[in-house]
Amino acid sequence: MDLFGDLRRMNKRQLYYQVLNFAMIVSSALMIWKGLIVITGSESPIVVVLSGSMEPAFHRGDLLFLTNFQEDPIRAGEIVVFKVEGRDIPIVHRVLKVHEKENGNIKFLTKGDNNEVDDRGLYKEGQNWLEKKDVVGRARGFLPYVGMVTIIMNDYPKFKYALLAIMGAYVLLKRES
């Protein structure tokens, strides 16, 4: 299969059509993602479990669907995804304890089901509790192991670039019948 030969044989109109087709696929995916953000109230409506800290509830590679409606109270036993200042990757753990102050402020403590101790060691220095602002979302559903593709692409960047190149070439070179 000669990729560049196929490109040379296309006239300009066909090439522009294929580039536009590729741009529409990318923009459609972006619009769907932004729509999910609005519908779910979460900055990241879909996340992949990256570690075994929540086994047996969730395994590495499970794809979680999140919502983050501010009016819903946080309850002990609920599985939340949160971000800690100074860490880029969100953490998926269960709410262990909830403290509600008289002024309505809620603070809570989390722990991974498969961990021996609570998450105070993961929080930023001097922080003993999480607040509602730290929550990215709450787990509402999952698909087992679907996120393994994401983990493989992060662990092996060359695989990711090769896969993206193949998909891009396919979209650009595929001709409509």
Side-chain angles (χ1 to χ4, degrees), residues 42 71 77 152:
S42 175
E71 62 274 1
I152 291 168

Side-chain angles (χ1 to χ4, degrees), residues 143-161:
L143 287 173
Y145 302 110
V146 173
M148 284 306 288
V149 174
T150 302
I151 292 173
I152 291 168
M153 287 196 300
N154 284 333
D155 290 349
Y156 305 102
K158 288 180 183 174
F159 175 75
K160 173 174 52 177
Y161 297 126

